[in-house]
Amino acid sequence: MKALVIIDMQMEMQHRIAAGRDCVNAGAPERIAALAGAFRRNGWPVVHVRHRDEAARSPLHPEAAGYPPMACAEALEGEAIFVKRTSSAFASTDLAAHLQARGITELVVTGAVAGFCVNSTVRHGADLGFDMTVVRDAVIGFDLPAAGLSAQVIFDVTLAHLEADFARVVDSTSVLAAAG
């Protein structure tokens, strides 16, 4: 069985986009919402992962404006929500046990941020034996200004590494077509 995994689509991502930060796939929230709708219509699980940082100044602190989920990542009743403290969604949650207990072997991954939590989660999931698919146009990437790296460069290199050894990389149109 497969599940859609929505990683860290929290208001901080919308704040970065609205502030004009160099970004790849600013339209990802709409594609994520469409994918979630298709999975729900097919009775396939939608799993939500959120990042929580205990540092008071962090935009992902539970009391910060950046912590709540974006509209595309609002969980419906009964959908699993995992709150992580690490880059990989597997490292600080019981996500793997949850998936294994439900016979879920394939993960379709969306969310934020390509070079960080999406990358870590996909690699970790592949190492655990899950069949990983990354939806290229439903993953957000941002720049690293201090390193002089554009969002597009980081995104392209990250997805190339993932596709080389850890996951299939597809566009949302192919996932939506397969979902009917």
Side-chain angles (χ1 to χ4, degrees):
M1 175 185 284
K2 64 180 155 185
L4 180 68
V5 179
I6 303 172
I7 300 173
D8 297 351
M9 289 303 287
Q10 292 162 261
M11 289 305 296
E12 174 58 17
M13 303 311 130
Q14 185 58 50
H15 297 162
R16 291 178 187 180
I17 293 167
R21 176 110 178 246
D22 181 26
C23 175
V24 174
N25 290 330
E30 292 79 19
R31 288 184 280 282
I32 292 169
L35 290 164
F39 270 69
R40 290 168 177 144
R41 283 189 299 280
N42 280 290
W44 301 331
V46 177
V47 177
H48 304 266
V49 178
R50 299 184 185 145
H51 194 92
R52 177 183 174 126
D53 190 337
E54 295 302 323
R57 292 183 169 201
S58 170
L60 295 174
H61 183 277
E63 295 177 17
Y67 184 77
M70 294 173 64
C72 66
E74 286 284 351
L76 297 184
E77 186 173 333
E79 291 180 343
I81 302 170
F82 293 89
V83 179
K84 63 183 180 60
R85 301 175 321 278
T86 54
S87 186
S88 167
F90 292 100
S92 58
T93 72
D94 62 350
L95 176 60
H98 172 85
L99 298 170
Q100 291 163 344
R102 286 154 183 79
I104 297 168
T105 58
E106 180 183 349
L107 303 181
V108 178
V109 179
T110 66
V113 172
F116 291 88
C117 298
V118 170
N119 184 22
S120 298
T121 299
V122 170
R123 288 172 179 246
H124 198 159
D127 287 347
L128 291 171
F130 291 98
D131 182 15
M132 305 299 287
T133 298
V134 177
V135 186
R136 177 189 319 272
D137 58 343
V139 171
I140 292 178
F142 293 103
D143 61 346
L144 286 174
L149 296 171
S150 73
Q152 193 67 59
V153 166
I154 295 166
F155 188 87
D156 290 346
V157 170
T158 298
L159 268 60
H161 280 140
L162 293 177
E163 189 169 32
D165 202 31
F166 301 97
R168 278 182 309 285
V169 177
V170 301
D171 289 323
S172 60
T173 53
S174 65
V175 177
L176 292 168

